[in-house]
Amino acid sequence: MKYIYYITRLFRQVVGMPVYLASFVFRRSKEVWVFGEWHGKRYADNAKYLFEYVSRNHGNIHAVWMSTDREVIARVRGDGFHACHSRSWRGAAMCLKASVHFVTHDAGDTNEFFSGGSLLVNLTHGTPLKRIGNDARYARLGMLTSVFDTYGATVIPRKRRFDIISCADNIAARRFATAFPSAGKVTGPGYPRWDGLVGSAKSLPIDAELGRFSHVISYLPTVRFCNQRPYDPFAITGLYDFMDYLQRNDVLFLVRTHPTVSFENKVPRSENIMLVDSHLVPDTCDILRRTDLLVTDYSSVMFDYAMLRRPTLLLAPDREVYLREDVGIYGDYSTDSLHPIFDDWSQLSGYLQDNSDVLDRVQDAPAFVEGEASRRIVKYVQHALGPS
């Protein structure tokens, strides 16, 4: 089934190649920019915050959000911004007219078939602790993976080369440069999504539930790729000790999985545990703002959460398998993660018991200047486009 899925996707790209090649002849406007995220399915992450920044602060630029989800389009329009269905006639026309396509994954975030001749800017969606792109040990196609990534991926529209990669900092820039060697310039001005951490809070459908508890611990594990053994964190030793800690201390444990992972029927039933998927709360920043302590593993969300200067703990019982058999990480996990690492729930709850003040360790507001990353990216892209 996996091979059928990839072959079907490849077939669509081949069929759409003539349209993609034809899109190079259209004259593009430097005043039209289109944005998309997660293959057009969500409204979140760096693309969302840069899109809103440009819409509010650059009246000379027609910024349009592209999506294949009609609910997303309605929500964006309801907030007073411009949005189009990326597969509609109007969406195709805007993609053909746009001089810049901003994405977080690949050209399919907007509409790859109408992106020829535009500047493709990858705003990225993580600060690489775990390996990505060509650096990742991810054999999704078995022995054919390296052949496809080396010779095939860059010639199909969806996987066209990035002209600019924008990421968190200079360390991330060095890693992205090796992960995507066909890319153009890599720059590290910071992430627009950090605005979502320091800006004004928006109401969420779960706010009333969160307000019932004295503190919130959020659990955001990352996805596993090559490891064929199913990962179930709730089967790890000591879960009932941890649940007892939650109940005795009036703490809510909010479980937010990676968008490609489901923990349905795995999360234990408890008044102190809530599963929140990406459909209910698409933007991770909305979760982090309401979190007193973060629990994760190899996810770069730990670096985003550091902007709030609140505590993070790492639950990584499978780290030996993950580091050896999965995509792996850059650098040294125990050194680069900068947080306490635990093997099971009992160790985690024991740490929380021994450090009773940890949930209240909220330092001063972060030194991050709201909008600064977005300003830098806009200036960089405008310079790349040249004079009007």
Side-chain angles (χ1 to χ4, degrees), residues 139-192:
R140 64 194 181 282
L141 298 177
M143 296 176 63
L144 297 177
T145 303
S146 60
V147 175
F148 178 76
D149 288 345
T150 303
Y151 302 105
T154 56
V155 301
I156 63 176
R158 188 167 196 144
K159 296 299 181 181
R160 56 164 286 199
R161 68 187 292 275
F162 301 116
D163 298 291
I164 296 173
I165 294 179
S166 178
C167 53
D169 55 22
N170 291 332
I171 295 176
R174 290 195 296 271
R175 294 173 178 176
F176 275 109
T178 61
F180 302 100
S182 64
K185 297 180 179 179
V186 184
T187 181
Y191 278 151

Side-chain angles (χ1 to χ4, degrees), residues 255-312:
V255 180
R256 166 61 181 270
T257 64
H258 189 275
T260 62
V261 175
S262 175
F263 281 166
E264 288 290 343
N265 303 320
K266 294 183 178 180
V267 178
R269 293 185 178 181
S270 168
E271 292 184 355
N272 294 79
I273 300 178
M274 178 191 297
L275 176 63
V276 179
D277 62 26
S278 59
H279 298 288
L280 182 61
V281 182
D283 196 337
T284 303
C285 291
D286 291 327
I287 298 292
L288 298 182
R289 294 178 56 126
R290 292 161 170 82
T291 297
D292 297 301
L293 181 144
L294 173 68
V295 177
T296 185
D297 41 33
Y298 320 103
S299 173
S300 64
V301 70
M302 68 178 77
F303 301 120
D304 293 330
Y305 193 63
M307 300 300 300
L308 295 175
R309 297 185 179 179
R310 299 173 189 171
T312 296

Side-chain angles (χ1 to χ4, degrees), residues 107-122:
D109 292 355
T110 51
N111 188 321
E112 68 270 34
F113 299 114
F114 299 99
S115 69
S118 69
L119 198 67
L120 184 63
V121 181
N122 183 4

Side-chain angles (χ1 to χ4, degrees), residues 357-370:
D357 66 330
V358 67
L359 293 176
D360 296 308
R361 292 179 190 171
V362 181
Q363 300 178 15
D364 295 334
F368 175 69
V369 179
E370 183 178 357

